Amino acid sequence: MRTAIFPGSFDPFTIGHYDIVKRGLCLFDRIIIGIGRNSVKKETFPIRERLAAIQRIFADEPAVEVEIYDCLTVDFAREHGVSFILRGIRCVEDFEYERNMAEANKQLGGVETILLYTRPEYAHISSTLVRDLYSYNKDVSAYLPAYPKTDNNDRQQ
Ligand code: ADP
């Protein structure tokens, strides 16, 4: 079984992230979404709420698991016996960052990074954008994945 870790802050998890996971499932049998606990980045949405929201989004998708981790991503991957990291890439700035991380993770743990380009219509979507809009009480539901049909296909609030 081919498994990948999809690591990130997901503060919050957007339709851009969702699209990477769905497309990643064409490449991997199983994807573990790892919500990294980051002591430097200030969180907007509590990590437990992010975990619950992502679990609910993928409630109908048994190939997707969600976990919180607070170690290096390579160590998290190794704990699970996983040799692949899945990441998304939107722009040149993402590329530079992802290349450095991929190189480090390869050197540190022999873990390969698989990058998927964003769909153009999602290229401008980031957790930062959603957080900014949210802080001004704007409706951000268009940027968040819908919950499965069992819940009337509600989007997150
Ligand atoms: P991090 O804090 O590790 O950068 P993020 O939660 O911001 O984590 O993002 C996790 C991954 O998802 C990263 O690889 C990021 O480039 C990717 N990503 C974020 N937004 C999008 C998007 N709109 N389309 C495709 N990939 C995205």
Side-chain angles (χ1 to χ4, degrees):
M1 180 173 334
R2 203 167 276 256
T3 306
I5 302 282
F6 182 42
S9 316
F10 308 121
D11 189 20
F13 192 88
T14 69
I15 49 174
H17 296 131
Y18 180 81
D19 187 56
I20 295 295
V21 174
K22 290 302 263 189
R23 288 163 54 210
L25 287 173
C26 300
L27 301 169
F28 296 100
D29 306 301
R30 180 168 156 248
I31 293 179
I32 303 169
I33 299 174
I35 311 173
R37 211 189 278 278
N38 192 325
S39 50
V40 182
K41 275 192 184 176
K42 205 174 146 290
E43 64 178 20
T44 297
F45 300 97
I47 199 159
R48 291 261 151 221
E49 281 180 24
R50 277 179 268 159
L51 174 77
I54 303 171
Q55 281 173 333
R56 204 169 152 209
I57 289 162
F58 291 103
D60 289 348
E61 185 48 83
V64 176
E65 292 164 32
V66 196
E67 278 185 39
I68 292 170
Y69 70 100
D70 48 20
C71 56
L72 279 178
T73 303
V74 273
D75 292 335
F76 180 60
R78 265 202 298 233
E79 273 170 26
H80 287 276
V82 172
S83 319
F84 296 99
I85 289 174
L86 176 66
R87 295 281 287 181
I89 198 162
R90 288 160 294 186
C91 54
V92 184
E93 289 75 20
D94 276 358
F95 173 79
E96 294 288 345
Y97 178 77
E98 295 297 340
R99 187 187 51 187
N100 291 341
M101 289 303 295
E103 198 50 46
N105 287 327
K106 178 80 179 155
Q107 270 185 16
L108 285 166
V111 177
E112 285 292 354
T113 299
I114 307 296
L115 295 174
L116 290 181
Y117 288 108
T118 184
R119 290 217 301 223
E121 61 267 38
Y122 296 156
H124 66 292
I125 299 173
S126 64
S127 298
T128 308
L129 170 74
V130 175
R131 286 198 301 271
D132 285 350
L133 294 173
Y134 183 79
S135 72
Y136 288 103
N137 288 321
K138 298 290 178 198
D139 178 13
V140 294
S141 57
Y143 299 114
L144 304 178
Y147 290 130
K149 282 212 163 33
T150 42
D151 288 310
N152 300 325
N153 236 3
D154 281 340
R155 284 188 182 273
Q156 299 170 59
Q157 296 305 308

